[in-house]
Amino acid sequence: MFLNLVVDMASIRVRTIIAVVAGFVGILMAGHPAWAQFGPSEPDLSGSWLGLMGEDVPERAVPGPLPGDFTGLALNAAGKSLAASTSMARFTTIERQCALWPPQYLVLGPMPLKIAADTDPITGKTIAYRIGAWEDRATTVIWMDGRPHPSENAPHTKGGFETGKWQGNTLTTFTTHIKAGIIRRNGAQVSDRATLTTHYIINGDLLTILMFIDDPVYLSEPQAFSRDFRLINNANALSATGPPCIPSFEGAASDAVAHYLPGTNPMVGELKKQHGIPLEAAAGGAETMYPEYRKKLKDKYVRPEKCLSDCGPGFGPPPGVGPPGMGPPGAPPGGARGGPPGAPPGGKPPR
Amino acid sequence: MTIRAIRYLPALLCALGATWALDCQRPAFAQQLDARDLGDGMELFQIRPNFHVLIGAGANVAVQVGVDGAVVVDSGDAAHADRLVAEIKKLTPNHLIRYVINTSADADHVGGNEKVSKIGKTLLGDSPFGGPPNDGAAAILAGGDILTRMSNAGYPEGAWPTELFVQPRKYMYLNDEGIEVLHQPSAHSDADSIIFFRRSDVVMAGDIIDIRRFPVIDLANGGSINGEIAALNRIVELAIPSIPIVSREAGTVVVPSHGRLLDQTDVVEYRDMVTIMRDRIQNLMKERKTLAQVKAADPALGYKERYGSDTGSWTTDMFVEAVFKSLAADKSKQR
């Protein structure tokens, strides 16, 4: 009897010690979530991703898209009207200078991506990916924990509200609660009712981001954009936050709203002037996105005798030719969008 | 049974400890804006520790709570008054509502005035004529000519404003913050006020902004398009975005009369739209176009698809007509 009691007490002590040790191990592990990451692995989006660019440099970086060039955009009648009435001078007001581009700028702009993962300390699972900000784009958070999207009364933020799920090597996300903003840096835009479906496709050290923008207000069908990135080894090469932005007075009163009255935007004819593209094609629309449109355009397109801009290497424009204000500092007054330094004046037309 | 429970007690305590430790390690950004679905289309947002916004009870309603007693901005429509009172009671357990401030005289802003004020208590003592004003209920504050409008509309006396002002700016200091009530003459109507909570950094915009549609320009009650644009510019000036740290989602919260919560960027977008609409119609008028010709020119193309409607109480057609008539009235005043 006594012996049994001693054995029982000893058993209780051993179990208690085991329980205490297990508990403390639990606490220790809580501070080291990496220990818990032994489950089935899924791809990792985190890292520093460098944007790969080629012939899209003028579109994504400098000098930017040609004014009045809305080709390849699925704008409906309202979208075309809004794009044609938008003056980029509106972005010179104090209130607009630091307002940032919307989250779709991820695939529109030239900047690299710094992506970090936030993990659950218990399970080690990824709660969210954070795509770091740049000087003209806010932080984007991709929630991976299955949380629902907020109600329609919740604020629309600079980064939007994005949730995602892995399917193989592709992270597919859905973004709501974005602000109204551009889809091309020349005035084409979508409304605050737009949503984004984005596929982050990982293939080795390459990342392709394929984004579809749906906007019931300004687009007649989903607009697709894509962009490629390469993982770079130095994880600290990029910053996760953009630099501060300090707006300054640029001559526009804070209550000034720059815009073009219907039919008065002088930039609308720029594509016709530079490349002979008919106005109806330059205005964009879903039809202009597809190859069949070339047949329709065939009889209306008149190839310019000389290339005036964007002529490619060795095909620079003649001095003083090109849209005003498009050239680098010190360029001739007519601008110099096309040829590289030293290109022969009045270069040949592209093939 | 007891011994078994004791056996696992240390593990349980440790587990609780671990949970606490884990909770402390949650990333800060995981904290989203606190929102509660109240059912029946009503939703409650806690946008600051002591500041709540109730959406869906008519016009948006704000409740600022604190040691001095609650300040309520707008009281929703009459149909939701009882429900609104029940929700406000939950936010203010001692029911110490001191003020109901109206941003507008419209029915969806003042419909619950009487019921909401009655659960509160005025800061004022007895009046020279006997008991305290408004039978001791919370004061109802409004700018402009709301009293005439409400009495003409047949509202019961208990719903009428008890404190009126006509100066551009009235201010108070309650619950450790300055509260500015800024009267905007001739905007949506002649009775619009912007309420600015300075420490909470929240602007109640009233009917000056209705993010769902074009702003209602109530010409019959003193509204005007240029007054509306002036009011929007004032809100743009009051609101501050997250600058210079632009990558942070922060800044002044602007609460419109209806629809989602806004920031300065949203207000700028709305202000730009209203200004451009005014400019387009004004330009057509300079070309001596009649109202019918202006409407036929479709000046709202590009915006009606977002803010317009062909049906309901405020259509695109009505907005264009109101802007046209407002500009025509301004022109005739200048002559």
Side-chain angles (χ1 to χ4, degrees), chain A residues 15 30 96 118 122 147 151 153 159 179 192-193 218 245 254 259, chain B residues 7 22 25 29 32 43 244 249 260 263 266 271-272 279 302 306:
Chain A
R15 285 173 191 169
R96 292 259 187 204
D118 279 291
I122 301 173
R147 69 183 58 196
S151 81
N153 295 320
K179 290 188 184 294
D192 57 353
R193 291 180 181 161
Y218 294 126
C245 180
S254 74
H259 67 98
Chain B
R7 278 177 194 170
L22 294 173
Q25 293 172 14
F29 69 76
Q32 285 177 252
E43 197 171 10
E249 303 280 6
R260 66 180 168 88
D263 62 13
D266 298 310
R271 184 274 315 263
D272 284 7
D279 290 353
R306 168 62 180 84

PDB file of all heavy atoms in Angstrom, chain A residues 15 30 96 118 122 147 151 153 159 179 192-193 218 245 254 259, chain B residues 7 22 25 29 32 43 244 249 260 263 266 271-272 279 302 306:
ATOM      1  N   ARG A  15       5.683  13.020 -14.076  1.00  0.00           N
ATOM      2  CA  ARG A  15       4.781  13.594 -15.081  1.00  0.00           C
ATOM      3  C   ARG A  15       4.766  15.117 -14.983  1.00  0.00           C
ATOM      4  O   ARG A  15       4.717  15.836 -15.972  1.00  0.00           O
ATOM      5  CB  ARG A  15       3.359  13.053 -14.890  1.00  0.00           C
ATOM      6  CG  ARG A  15       3.216  11.630 -15.378  1.00  0.00           C
ATOM      7  CD  ARG A  15       1.858  11.093 -15.021  1.00  0.00           C
ATOM      8  NE  ARG A  15       1.777   9.669 -15.242  1.00  0.00           N
ATOM      9  CZ  ARG A  15       0.774   8.921 -14.825  1.00  0.00           C
ATOM     10  NH1 ARG A  15      -0.220   9.473 -14.160  1.00  0.00           N
ATOM     11  NH2 ARG A  15       0.748   7.636 -15.056  1.00  0.00           N
ATOM     12  N   ALA A  30       8.142  29.324 -28.847  1.00  0.00           N
ATOM     13  CA  ALA A  30       7.330  30.462 -29.268  1.00  0.00           C
ATOM     14  C   ALA A  30       8.207  31.616 -29.719  1.00  0.00           C
ATOM     15  O   ALA A  30       7.858  32.381 -30.601  1.00  0.00           O
ATOM     16  CB  ALA A  30       6.439  30.914 -28.109  1.00  0.00           C
ATOM     17  N   ARG A  96      -1.249  66.318 -54.526  1.00  0.00           N
ATOM     18  CA  ARG A  96      -1.044  65.167 -55.407  1.00  0.00           C
ATOM     19  C   ARG A  96       0.410  64.696 -55.447  1.00  0.00           C
ATOM     20  O   ARG A  96       0.675  63.569 -55.835  1.00  0.00           O
ATOM     21  CB  ARG A  96      -1.478  65.526 -56.827  1.00  0.00           C
ATOM     22  CG  ARG A  96      -2.980  65.732 -56.971  1.00  0.00           C
ATOM     23  CD  ARG A  96      -3.613  64.526 -57.580  1.00  0.00           C
ATOM     24  NE  ARG A  96      -5.006  64.715 -57.886  1.00  0.00           N
ATOM     25  CZ  ARG A  96      -5.865  63.700 -57.989  1.00  0.00           C
ATOM     26  NH1 ARG A  96      -5.467  62.464 -57.800  1.00  0.00           N
ATOM     27  NH2 ARG A  96      -7.126  63.925 -58.283  1.00  0.00           N
ATOM     28  N   ASP A 118       5.991  37.539 -42.993  1.00  0.00           N
ATOM     29  CA  ASP A 118       5.708  37.521 -41.560  1.00  0.00           C
ATOM     30  C   ASP A 118       5.131  36.164 -41.233  1.00  0.00           C
ATOM     31  O   ASP A 118       4.145  35.736 -41.847  1.00  0.00           O
ATOM     32  CB  ASP A 118       4.709  38.618 -41.191  1.00  0.00           C
ATOM     33  CG  ASP A 118       5.385  39.951 -41.060  1.00  0.00           C
ATOM     34  OD1 ASP A 118       6.151  40.134 -40.109  1.00  0.00           O
ATOM     35  OD2 ASP A 118       5.174  40.799 -41.946  1.00  0.00           O
ATOM     36  N   ILE A 122       3.754  30.143 -33.873  1.00  0.00           N
ATOM     37  CA  ILE A 122       3.404  28.790 -33.427  1.00  0.00           C
ATOM     38  C   ILE A 122       3.603  27.786 -34.549  1.00  0.00           C
ATOM     39  O   ILE A 122       4.294  26.785 -34.400  1.00  0.00           O
ATOM     40  CB  ILE A 122       1.936  28.730 -32.946  1.00  0.00           C
ATOM     41  CG1 ILE A 122       1.723  29.707 -31.797  1.00  0.00           C
ATOM     42  CG2 ILE A 122       1.565  27.315 -32.536  1.00  0.00           C
ATOM     43  CD1 ILE A 122       0.281  29.830 -31.370  1.00  0.00           C
ATOM     44  N   ARG A 147      -7.983  35.453 -44.032  1.00  0.00           N
ATOM     45  CA  ARG A 147      -8.922  36.442 -43.488  1.00  0.00           C
ATOM     46  C   ARG A 147      -9.818  37.002 -44.602  1.00  0.00           C
ATOM     47  O   ARG A 147      -9.405  37.079 -45.764  1.00  0.00           O
ATOM     48  CB  ARG A 147      -8.173  37.566 -42.785  1.00  0.00           C
ATOM     49  CG  ARG A 147      -7.391  38.477 -43.702  1.00  0.00           C
ATOM     50  CD  ARG A 147      -6.622  39.515 -42.916  1.00  0.00           C
ATOM     51  NE  ARG A 147      -5.704  38.908 -41.956  1.00  0.00           N
ATOM     52  CZ  ARG A 147      -5.149  39.559 -40.947  1.00  0.00           C
ATOM     53  NH1 ARG A 147      -5.442  40.825 -40.744  1.00  0.00           N
ATOM     54  NH2 ARG A 147      -4.321  38.956 -40.128  1.00  0.00           N
ATOM     55  N   SER A 151     -15.386  45.196 -45.293  1.00  0.00           N
ATOM     56  CA  SER A 151     -16.656  45.584 -45.909  1.00  0.00           C
ATOM     57  C   SER A 151     -16.426  46.755 -46.870  1.00  0.00           C
ATOM     58  O   SER A 151     -15.373  47.377 -46.872  1.00  0.00           O
ATOM     59  CB  SER A 151     -17.662  46.002 -44.836  1.00  0.00           C
ATOM     60  OG  SER A 151     -17.414  47.341 -44.449  1.00  0.00           O
ATOM     61  N   ASN A 153     -17.500  49.575 -46.651  1.00  0.00           N
ATOM     62  CA  ASN A 153     -17.391  50.854 -45.942  1.00  0.00           C
ATOM     63  C   ASN A 153     -15.992  51.119 -45.390  1.00  0.00           C
ATOM     64  O   ASN A 153     -15.725  52.204 -44.867  1.00  0.00           O
ATOM     65  CB  ASN A 153     -18.393  50.896 -44.777  1.00  0.00           C
ATOM     66  CG  ASN A 153     -19.826  50.878 -45.270  1.00  0.00           C
ATOM     67  OD1 ASN A 153     -20.139  51.523 -46.264  1.00  0.00           O
ATOM     68  ND2 ASN A 153     -20.684  50.124 -44.595  1.00  0.00           N
ATOM     69  N   GLY A 159      -2.199  50.967 -50.526  1.00  0.00           N
ATOM     70  CA  GLY A 159      -1.724  49.635 -50.899  1.00  0.00           C
ATOM     71  C   GLY A 159      -2.832  48.665 -51.250  1.00  0.00           C
ATOM     72  O   GLY A 159      -2.573  47.572 -51.763  1.00  0.00           O
ATOM     73  N   LYS A 179      -7.383  52.756 -54.268  1.00  0.00           N
ATOM     74  CA  LYS A 179      -7.826  54.102 -54.615  1.00  0.00           C
ATOM     75  C   LYS A 179      -7.874  54.234 -56.136  1.00  0.00           C
ATOM     76  O   LYS A 179      -7.199  53.478 -56.840  1.00  0.00           O
ATOM     77  CB  LYS A 179      -6.848  55.135 -54.050  1.00  0.00           C
ATOM     78  CG  LYS A 179      -6.904  55.252 -52.532  1.00  0.00           C
ATOM     79  CD  LYS A 179      -6.074  56.395 -52.052  1.00  0.00           C
ATOM     80  CE  LYS A 179      -6.056  56.464 -50.545  1.00  0.00           C
ATOM     81  NZ  LYS A 179      -7.376  56.771 -49.963  1.00  0.00           N
ATOM     82  N   ASP A 192     -11.953  53.631 -58.127  1.00  0.00           N
ATOM     83  CA  ASP A 192     -11.768  53.002 -56.812  1.00  0.00           C
ATOM     84  C   ASP A 192     -12.608  51.732 -56.673  1.00  0.00           C
ATOM     85  O   ASP A 192     -12.560  51.074 -55.637  1.00  0.00           O
ATOM     86  CB  ASP A 192     -12.100  53.993 -55.691  1.00  0.00           C
ATOM     87  CG  ASP A 192     -13.511  54.544 -55.794  1.00  0.00           C
ATOM     88  OD1 ASP A 192     -14.202  54.271 -56.801  1.00  0.00           O
ATOM     89  OD2 ASP A 192     -13.943  55.259 -54.861  1.00  0.00           O
ATOM     90  N   ARG A 193     -13.383  51.406 -57.706  1.00  0.00           N
ATOM     91  CA  ARG A 193     -14.151  50.157 -57.672  1.00  0.00           C
ATOM     92  C   ARG A 193     -13.405  49.024 -58.379  1.00  0.00           C
ATOM     93  O   ARG A 193     -13.920  47.910 -58.494  1.00  0.00           O
ATOM     94  CB  ARG A 193     -15.518  50.349 -58.316  1.00  0.00           C
ATOM     95  CG  ARG A 193     -16.411  51.249 -57.471  1.00  0.00           C
ATOM     96  CD  ARG A 193     -17.783  51.449 -58.085  1.00  0.00           C
ATOM     97  NE  ARG A 193     -18.574  52.327 -57.245  1.00  0.00           N
ATOM     98  CZ  ARG A 193     -19.643  52.985 -57.645  1.00  0.00           C
ATOM     99  NH1 ARG A 193     -20.050  52.861 -58.893  1.00  0.00           N
ATOM    100  NH2 ARG A 193     -20.306  53.764 -56.824  1.00  0.00           N
ATOM    101  N   TYR A 218     -14.443  51.954 -65.797  1.00  0.00           N
ATOM    102  CA  TYR A 218     -13.665  52.506 -66.913  1.00  0.00           C
ATOM    103  C   TYR A 218     -13.078  51.468 -67.879  1.00  0.00           C
ATOM    104  O   TYR A 218     -12.433  51.848 -68.858  1.00  0.00           O
ATOM    105  CB  TYR A 218     -12.534  53.390 -66.379  1.00  0.00           C
ATOM    106  CG  TYR A 218     -13.044  54.623 -65.674  1.00  0.00           C
ATOM    107  CD1 TYR A 218     -12.652  54.928 -64.377  1.00  0.00           C
ATOM    108  CD2 TYR A 218     -13.946  55.485 -66.300  1.00  0.00           C
ATOM    109  CE1 TYR A 218     -13.141  56.051 -63.719  1.00  0.00           C
ATOM    110  CE2 TYR A 218     -14.442  56.598 -65.658  1.00  0.00           C
ATOM    111  CZ  TYR A 218     -14.035  56.882 -64.374  1.00  0.00           C
ATOM    112  OH  TYR A 218     -14.531  57.991 -63.738  1.00  0.00           O
ATOM    113  N   CYS A 245       8.696  61.777 -48.552  1.00  0.00           N
ATOM    114  CA  CYS A 245       8.279  62.638 -49.665  1.00  0.00           C
ATOM    115  C   CYS A 245       7.874  63.992 -49.096  1.00  0.00           C
ATOM    116  O   CYS A 245       7.054  64.065 -48.180  1.00  0.00           O
ATOM    117  CB  CYS A 245       7.102  62.013 -50.422  1.00  0.00           C
ATOM    118  SG  CYS A 245       6.521  63.012 -51.813  1.00  0.00           S
ATOM    119  N   SER A 254      -3.569  75.357 -54.439  1.00  0.00           N
ATOM    120  CA  SER A 254      -4.066  74.072 -53.935  1.00  0.00           C
ATOM    121  C   SER A 254      -5.491  73.778 -54.398  1.00  0.00           C
ATOM    122  O   SER A 254      -5.910  72.629 -54.401  1.00  0.00           O
ATOM    123  CB  SER A 254      -3.982  74.027 -52.414  1.00  0.00           C
ATOM    124  OG  SER A 254      -4.974  74.830 -51.857  1.00  0.00           O
ATOM    125  N   HIS A 259      -7.119  70.320 -66.020  1.00  0.00           N
ATOM    126  CA  HIS A 259      -7.801  69.319 -66.861  1.00  0.00           C
ATOM    127  C   HIS A 259      -8.047  69.911 -68.235  1.00  0.00           C
ATOM    128  O   HIS A 259      -7.895  71.128 -68.427  1.00  0.00           O
ATOM    129  CB  HIS A 259      -9.129  68.890 -66.225  1.00  0.00           C
ATOM    130  CG  HIS A 259     -10.157  69.983 -66.186  1.00  0.00           C
ATOM    131  ND1 HIS A 259     -11.157  70.101 -67.127  1.00  0.00           N
ATOM    132  CD2 HIS A 259     -10.333  71.020 -65.334  1.00  0.00           C
ATOM    133  CE1 HIS A 259     -11.909  71.152 -66.835  1.00  0.00           C
ATOM    134  NE2 HIS A 259     -11.429  71.738 -65.755  1.00  0.00           N
TER     135      HIS A 259
ATOM    136  N   ARG B   7      -1.928  17.385 -11.970  1.00  0.00           N
ATOM    137  CA  ARG B   7      -0.828  16.891 -12.795  1.00  0.00           C
ATOM    138  C   ARG B   7      -0.588  17.785 -14.013  1.00  0.00           C
ATOM    139  O   ARG B   7       0.523  18.048 -14.413  1.00  0.00           O
ATOM    140  CB  ARG B   7      -1.152  15.486 -13.324  1.00  0.00           C
ATOM    141  CG  ARG B   7      -0.886  14.380 -12.367  1.00  0.00           C
ATOM    142  CD  ARG B   7      -1.344  13.099 -13.039  1.00  0.00           C
ATOM    143  NE  ARG B   7      -1.432  12.030 -12.070  1.00  0.00           N
ATOM    144  CZ  ARG B   7      -1.984  10.857 -12.326  1.00  0.00           C
ATOM    145  NH1 ARG B   7      -2.509  10.636 -13.503  1.00  0.00           N
ATOM    146  NH2 ARG B   7      -2.021   9.916 -11.425  1.00  0.00           N
ATOM    147  N   LEU B  22       3.308  34.557 -27.236  1.00  0.00           N
ATOM    148  CA  LEU B  22       3.064  34.599 -28.674  1.00  0.00           C
ATOM    149  C   LEU B  22       2.270  35.831 -29.065  1.00  0.00           C
ATOM    150  O   LEU B  22       2.552  36.483 -30.061  1.00  0.00           O
ATOM    151  CB  LEU B  22       2.291  33.353 -29.107  1.00  0.00           C
ATOM    152  CG  LEU B  22       3.045  32.039 -28.966  1.00  0.00           C
ATOM    153  CD1 LEU B  22       2.117  30.890 -29.267  1.00  0.00           C
ATOM    154  CD2 LEU B  22       4.237  32.017 -29.882  1.00  0.00           C
ATOM    155  N   GLN B  25       4.092  38.808 -29.645  1.00  0.00           N
ATOM    156  CA  GLN B  25       4.979  38.849 -30.803  1.00  0.00           C
ATOM    157  C   GLN B  25       4.243  39.074 -32.112  1.00  0.00           C
ATOM    158  O   GLN B  25       4.843  39.059 -33.176  1.00  0.00           O
ATOM    159  CB  GLN B  25       5.747  37.528 -30.899  1.00  0.00           C
ATOM    160  CG  GLN B  25       6.717  37.351 -29.749  1.00  0.00           C
ATOM    161  CD  GLN B  25       7.302  35.970 -29.755  1.00  0.00           C
ATOM    162  OE1 GLN B  25       7.188  35.257 -30.738  1.00  0.00           O
ATOM    163  NE2 GLN B  25       7.906  35.587 -28.664  1.00  0.00           N
ATOM    164  N   PHE B  29       1.248  45.364 -37.705  1.00  0.00           N
ATOM    165  CA  PHE B  29       0.356  45.713 -38.807  1.00  0.00           C
ATOM    166  C   PHE B  29      -0.822  44.769 -38.934  1.00  0.00           C
ATOM    167  O   PHE B  29      -1.708  44.967 -39.730  1.00  0.00           O
ATOM    168  CB  PHE B  29       1.125  45.805 -40.129  1.00  0.00           C
ATOM    169  CG  PHE B  29       1.641  44.498 -40.650  1.00  0.00           C
ATOM    170  CD1 PHE B  29       0.790  43.603 -41.244  1.00  0.00           C
ATOM    171  CD2 PHE B  29       2.988  44.175 -40.546  1.00  0.00           C
ATOM    172  CE1 PHE B  29       1.262  42.402 -41.731  1.00  0.00           C
ATOM    173  CE2 PHE B  29       3.460  42.982 -41.035  1.00  0.00           C
ATOM    174  CZ  PHE B  29       2.601  42.085 -41.620  1.00  0.00           C
ATOM    175  N   GLN B  32      -5.970  45.535 -37.821  1.00  0.00           N
ATOM    176  CA  GLN B  32      -6.754  46.285 -38.803  1.00  0.00           C
ATOM    177  C   GLN B  32      -7.728  47.190 -38.081  1.00  0.00           C
ATOM    178  O   GLN B  32      -7.935  47.078 -36.882  1.00  0.00           O
ATOM    179  CB  GLN B  32      -7.525  45.326 -39.696  1.00  0.00           C
ATOM    180  CG  GLN B  32      -6.681  44.638 -40.725  1.00  0.00           C
ATOM    181  CD  GLN B  32      -7.521  43.663 -41.515  1.00  0.00           C
ATOM    182  OE1 GLN B  32      -7.398  42.470 -41.366  1.00  0.00           O
ATOM    183  NE2 GLN B  32      -8.390  44.201 -42.351  1.00  0.00           N
ATOM    184  N   GLU B  43     -23.056  49.140 -39.662  1.00  0.00           N
ATOM    185  CA  GLU B  43     -21.690  48.721 -39.354  1.00  0.00           C
ATOM    186  C   GLU B  43     -21.036  49.766 -38.456  1.00  0.00           C
ATOM    187  O   GLU B  43     -21.208  50.968 -38.661  1.00  0.00           O
ATOM    188  CB  GLU B  43     -20.892  48.571 -40.649  1.00  0.00           C
ATOM    189  CG  GLU B  43     -19.624  47.777 -40.499  1.00  0.00           C
ATOM    190  CD  GLU B  43     -18.980  47.459 -41.847  1.00  0.00           C
ATOM    191  OE1 GLU B  43     -19.421  48.011 -42.869  1.00  0.00           O
ATOM    192  OE2 GLU B  43     -18.047  46.675 -41.854  1.00  0.00           O
ATOM    193  N   PRO B 244       5.932  63.369 -44.017  1.00  0.00           N
ATOM    194  CA  PRO B 244       6.686  62.884 -45.180  1.00  0.00           C
ATOM    195  C   PRO B 244       6.785  61.366 -45.283  1.00  0.00           C
ATOM    196  O   PRO B 244       7.272  60.864 -46.290  1.00  0.00           O
ATOM    197  CB  PRO B 244       8.073  63.487 -44.947  1.00  0.00           C
ATOM    198  CG  PRO B 244       8.193  63.568 -43.466  1.00  0.00           C
ATOM    199  CD  PRO B 244       6.808  63.870 -42.957  1.00  0.00           C
ATOM    200  N   GLU B 249       0.123  53.983 -43.875  1.00  0.00           N
ATOM    201  CA  GLU B 249      -1.310  54.232 -44.090  1.00  0.00           C
ATOM    202  C   GLU B 249      -1.819  54.986 -42.867  1.00  0.00           C
ATOM    203  O   GLU B 249      -2.190  54.379 -41.862  1.00  0.00           O
ATOM    204  CB  GLU B 249      -2.082  52.921 -44.268  1.00  0.00           C
ATOM    205  CG  GLU B 249      -1.586  52.021 -45.401  1.00  0.00           C
ATOM    206  CD  GLU B 249      -2.075  52.443 -46.782  1.00  0.00           C
ATOM    207  OE1 GLU B 249      -2.709  53.490 -46.915  1.00  0.00           O
ATOM    208  OE2 GLU B 249      -1.787  51.686 -47.740  1.00  0.00           O
ATOM    209  N   ARG B 260     -18.146  54.964 -47.565  1.00  0.00           N
ATOM    210  CA  ARG B 260     -16.938  54.552 -46.849  1.00  0.00           C
ATOM    211  C   ARG B 260     -16.136  55.715 -46.262  1.00  0.00           C
ATOM    212  O   ARG B 260     -16.307  56.863 -46.658  1.00  0.00           O
ATOM    213  CB  ARG B 260     -16.046  53.755 -47.799  1.00  0.00           C
ATOM    214  CG  ARG B 260     -15.479  54.555 -48.957  1.00  0.00           C
ATOM    215  CD  ARG B 260     -14.612  53.680 -49.841  1.00  0.00           C
ATOM    216  NE  ARG B 260     -14.274  54.322 -51.082  1.00  0.00           N
ATOM    217  CZ  ARG B 260     -13.218  55.110 -51.244  1.00  0.00           C
ATOM    218  NH1 ARG B 260     -12.436  55.366 -50.221  1.00  0.00           N
ATOM    219  NH2 ARG B 260     -12.953  55.641 -52.416  1.00  0.00           N
ATOM    220  N   ASP B 263      -9.813  59.595 -46.875  1.00  0.00           N
ATOM    221  CA  ASP B 263      -8.677  60.404 -46.448  1.00  0.00           C
ATOM    222  C   ASP B 263      -8.532  61.580 -47.411  1.00  0.00           C
ATOM    223  O   ASP B 263      -9.364  61.747 -48.315  1.00  0.00           O
ATOM    224  CB  ASP B 263      -7.387  59.570 -46.357  1.00  0.00           C
ATOM    225  CG  ASP B 263      -6.982  58.985 -47.705  1.00  0.00           C
ATOM    226  OD1 ASP B 263      -7.528  59.403 -48.749  1.00  0.00           O
ATOM    227  OD2 ASP B 263      -6.117  58.096 -47.723  1.00  0.00           O
ATOM    228  N   ASP B 266      -8.718  60.872 -51.190  1.00  0.00           N
ATOM    229  CA  ASP B 266     -10.075  60.609 -51.689  1.00  0.00           C
ATOM    230  C   ASP B 266     -10.846  61.916 -51.879  1.00  0.00           C
ATOM    231  O   ASP B 266     -11.601  62.075 -52.844  1.00  0.00           O
ATOM    232  CB  ASP B 266     -10.847  59.726 -50.700  1.00  0.00           C
ATOM    233  CG  ASP B 266     -10.201  58.371 -50.506  1.00  0.00           C
ATOM    234  OD1 ASP B 266      -9.890  57.713 -51.509  1.00  0.00           O
ATOM    235  OD2 ASP B 266     -10.001  57.966 -49.341  1.00  0.00           O
ATOM    236  N   ARG B 271     -13.146  66.303 -55.065  1.00  0.00           N
ATOM    237  CA  ARG B 271     -13.123  67.746 -55.329  1.00  0.00           C
ATOM    238  C   ARG B 271     -12.780  68.011 -56.802  1.00  0.00           C
ATOM    239  O   ARG B 271     -13.404  68.853 -57.454  1.00  0.00           O
ATOM    240  CB  ARG B 271     -12.084  68.398 -54.412  1.00  0.00           C
ATOM    241  CG  ARG B 271     -11.967  69.920 -54.473  1.00  0.00           C
ATOM    242  CD  ARG B 271     -11.033  70.435 -55.553  1.00  0.00           C
ATOM    243  NE  ARG B 271      -9.758  69.772 -55.677  1.00  0.00           N
ATOM    244  CZ  ARG B 271      -8.618  70.205 -55.125  1.00  0.00           C
ATOM    245  NH1 ARG B 271      -8.618  71.288 -54.391  1.00  0.00           N
ATOM    246  NH2 ARG B 271      -7.471  69.543 -55.336  1.00  0.00           N
ATOM    247  N   ASP B 272     -11.802  67.278 -57.308  1.00  0.00           N
ATOM    248  CA  ASP B 272     -11.407  67.448 -58.712  1.00  0.00           C
ATOM    249  C   ASP B 272     -12.589  67.148 -59.634  1.00  0.00           C
ATOM    250  O   ASP B 272     -12.849  67.873 -60.600  1.00  0.00           O
ATOM    251  CB  ASP B 272     -10.246  66.510 -59.059  1.00  0.00           C
ATOM    252  CG  ASP B 272      -8.923  67.009 -58.491  1.00  0.00           C
ATOM    253  OD1 ASP B 272      -8.929  68.001 -57.730  1.00  0.00           O
ATOM    254  OD2 ASP B 272      -7.884  66.402 -58.799  1.00  0.00           O
ATOM    255  N   ASP B 279     -16.599  73.214 -64.376  1.00  0.00           N
ATOM    256  CA  ASP B 279     -15.906  73.881 -65.489  1.00  0.00           C
ATOM    257  C   ASP B 279     -16.507  73.501 -66.839  1.00  0.00           C
ATOM    258  O   ASP B 279     -16.646  74.333 -67.735  1.00  0.00           O
ATOM    259  CB  ASP B 279     -14.416  73.514 -65.476  1.00  0.00           C
ATOM    260  CG  ASP B 279     -13.678  74.133 -64.295  1.00  0.00           C
ATOM    261  OD1 ASP B 279     -14.294  74.939 -63.568  1.00  0.00           O
ATOM    262  OD2 ASP B 279     -12.494  73.795 -64.096  1.00  0.00           O
ATOM    263  N   GLY B 302     -17.573  60.219 -68.381  1.00  0.00           N
ATOM    264  CA  GLY B 302     -16.322  59.971 -67.666  1.00  0.00           C
ATOM    265  C   GLY B 302     -16.510  59.996 -66.160  1.00  0.00           C
ATOM    266  O   GLY B 302     -15.687  59.453 -65.420  1.00  0.00           O
ATOM    267  N   ARG B 306     -19.278  56.574 -62.630  1.00  0.00           N
ATOM    268  CA  ARG B 306     -18.853  56.330 -61.251  1.00  0.00           C
ATOM    269  C   ARG B 306     -19.825  56.949 -60.236  1.00  0.00           C
ATOM    270  O   ARG B 306     -20.162  56.346 -59.231  1.00  0.00           O
ATOM    271  CB  ARG B 306     -17.440  56.882 -61.041  1.00  0.00           C
ATOM    272  CG  ARG B 306     -16.967  56.965 -59.575  1.00  0.00           C
ATOM    273  CD  ARG B 306     -16.916  55.609 -58.901  1.00  0.00           C
ATOM    274  NE  ARG B 306     -16.474  55.720 -57.513  1.00  0.00           N
ATOM    275  CZ  ARG B 306     -17.264  55.999 -56.499  1.00  0.00           C
ATOM    276  NH1 ARG B 306     -18.565  56.208 -56.706  1.00  0.00           N
ATOM    277  NH2 ARG B 306     -16.785  56.080 -55.269  1.00  0.00           N
TER     278      ARG B 306
END
